[in-house]
Every structure is written in structure tokens, then in C-alpha cells.
Amino acid sequence: MTIYGTTTNARNSYVCHQYFERAFCMKRSAYDFAHETEKRIQALSDDEPKHFFERPRPAKRLIEEIYPLSKLALRFQQLGAHVEVEAFENSGQADGHIWIESYAPREFDVQVTFAGYDETDKLRARHLLKHGWVPGSGPIHQDKKTGEIIAEVHAEDVGAPIQRIAASIRKSYLAKAAKGYPPETVLLIAFDVVPLQGRGYWKMLYDALDEKGGIQAGVFTQVFLFNGASNELQQVA
């Protein structure tokens, strides 16, 4: 059983759509892009925790697209290399583009998708904000008459969260793989799973993915998984 807790300190919101577009929808070095992203993430955590957990736009895009994209760009930042990254408008075919200047220069589009954050997670977020805690698993619903969110504490197997996120990752992968993309496109599947940290849990995730059909590069040059809850990025194909 997992119970999550938080504290709140609401001040003026840092979220501004126009500034958001100016900050990320332009070509920047991987370091500058990541620095701006971290500022926004910290501001959401400190100034507007409701936005951080409930994820209205543009907070949703910041957490589920921009933040993972910044981590992927840093993944390619090696000694002697210069990496630049840009996020695109939602209407574009790709979510971002990365340029790498090094002994092996390359550039490629990036498709970013987020797995596992559904209506149940939103209810848990709202419960967490109101009460300061929420069970990490178990039944949860909103009472139609009172509007109160009812969450039941429920014990589950340690592997249950891994099985759930594996199913979501596989579903997100299949949805993306069914479409056509330019050559050299990279797929980045992001998610937030607190218990998934370290070698043992990642092995459980890979085993669960294999049971569900696995992840193959297919139409993509590379496929990466990013767990925002532990700040871990791994290439899966």
C-alpha cells in the first residue's frame, strides 16, 4: 500500500501561455532549454501546486511533453558535443526536434507521449491537494451528490503498479506506432510512477512489457522511456 502526501503554499501562478510559447517554441541549447523547464517545474511545485497535480494547460504540456523532451536532449549532451532542442506547437506533426553537433552529427523529430495519467489519477490528485494525503491504490470515486472524493485504503501486490504502467506504455506505443513519421523520428514515452526506481523495478517493467508484446523500434529510430517520478531515462528500443 502506498500513501502520497504533500504540502501547499499557493502564491501567484507562474503559468503564462504566451510566455510559455516564447520560451520553448524556439531553438535553444539543451542546457538553456532544461534550465527554463526546471524553473517552470519548480514554480508549479511552489507557487501553484493545484496546477502541478491537476494539470490544466499549459501545465499539462509542461509536465507531460516539455519536461521529458528536456531530459532527452540532455541525454545526448556529451563532452565535445553541442545539442539544441525546440518544442513545436500542438498543431505540428512532431512534438519537438533535436540537433546534435558532434563527431557523429544528427538531427531528428521527437514524438512525445504520456502514459498512465487517467481520470483516476486526477481524482487522487484532487484528494491529495484537499487532504494532504491519498492512497496510492484502491477504489476512488467522486460522490455525485456532495462532490466529495471518496478514497479507500487498499493493499496490493508490489508488482501491481508496474503491471498497470506497462499496459499503459504498450497502449501508448501502439497508438503512436500506427501512424507514419519522417525518417529518423525518435519516440519518447513518459510516465510518473513513484515505486518504479532502480534496477529491480525496471527489470519488472521490462518483463511486464515483454509479456504484453514488448516495445520494438519499428517506424522509429529509437524508443525511450522516461519516469518523471524518479528522473530516470532509458532506451528500450
Side-chain angles (χ1 to χ4, degrees):
M1 177 182 68
T2 304
I3 294 180
Y4 304 131
T6 186
T7 59
T8 62
N9 182 20
R11 298 192 294 273
N12 291 332
S13 173
Y14 192 80
V15 178
C16 171
H17 181 69
Q18 290 183 346
Y19 181 65
F20 178 91
E21 298 298 346
R22 290 199 301 269
F24 298 112
C25 295
M26 60 182 293
K27 191 176 180 180
R28 308 180 66 161
S29 75
Y31 291 128
D32 288 344
F33 193 95
H35 177 68
E36 186 64 36
T37 302
E38 295 292 343
K39 284 200 309 181
R40 299 305 183 85
I41 293 292
Q42 189 62 53
L44 281 178
S45 304
D46 294 343
D47 297 346
E48 201 60 74
K50 179 179 180 180
H51 285 176
F52 184 86
F53 288 101
E54 294 190 355
R55 305 188 183 183
R57 289 191 175 273
K60 178 180 175 66
R61 189 176 177 215
L62 174 65
I63 296 168
E64 298 184 3
E65 292 184 20
I66 301 299
Y67 184 56
L69 180 62
S70 74
K71 295 300 183 181
L72 181 64
L74 289 176
R75 156 70 170 73
F76 292 103
Q77 183 66 66
Q78 307 290 333
L79 288 175
H82 178 68
V83 178
E84 292 181 307
V85 57
E86 179 180 2
F88 295 146
E89 299 279 358
N90 287 333
S91 58
Q93 183 178 16
D95 296 305
H97 195 87
I98 291 177
W99 296 262
I100 303 173
E101 295 181 11
S102 68
Y103 66 91
R106 59 182 292 211
E107 64 174 276
F108 49 87
D109 283 345
V110 181
Q111 289 288 331
V112 185
T113 186
F114 199 89
Y117 197 83
D118 56 18
E119 291 302 318
T120 297
D121 295 297
K122 292 178 182 178
L123 287 177
R124 293 193 192 283
R126 292 172 58 190
H127 188 285
L128 177 64
L129 286 168
K130 182 174 182 179
H131 301 287
W133 69 275
V134 67
S137 61
I140 185 170
H141 70 279
Q142 184 171 17
D143 188 278
K144 294 182 179 180
K145 293 183 178 180
T146 66
E148 185 71 16
I149 297 174
I150 311 299
E152 300 178 24
V153 177
H154 176 75
E156 66 178 6
D157 183 84
V158 67
I162 307 301
Q163 289 292 331
R164 285 197 297 271
I165 194 59
S168 294
I169 289 171
R170 172 70 176 169
K171 181 179 179 180
S172 297
Y173 163 76
L174 291 175
K176 283 289 187 179
K179 303 176 183 178
Y181 303 100
E184 305 299 321
T185 297
V186 169
L187 175 63
L188 173 59
I189 304 174
F191 52 90
D192 286 323
V193 178
V194 174
L196 201 160
Q197 300 187 39
R199 177 180 175 180
Y201 285 100
W202 277 93
K203 184 179 184 305
M204 289 174 61
L205 176 61
Y206 285 134
D207 289 344
L209 284 171
D210 287 342
E211 292 172 2
K212 298 176 188 342
I215 302 293
Q216 298 82 32
V219 298
F220 303 104
T221 302
Q222 295 169 288
V223 179
F224 290 88
L225 301 180
F226 174 66
N227 184 12
S230 62
N231 197 26
E232 292 179 279
L233 177 74
Q234 295 201 15
Q235 182 176 346
V236 67

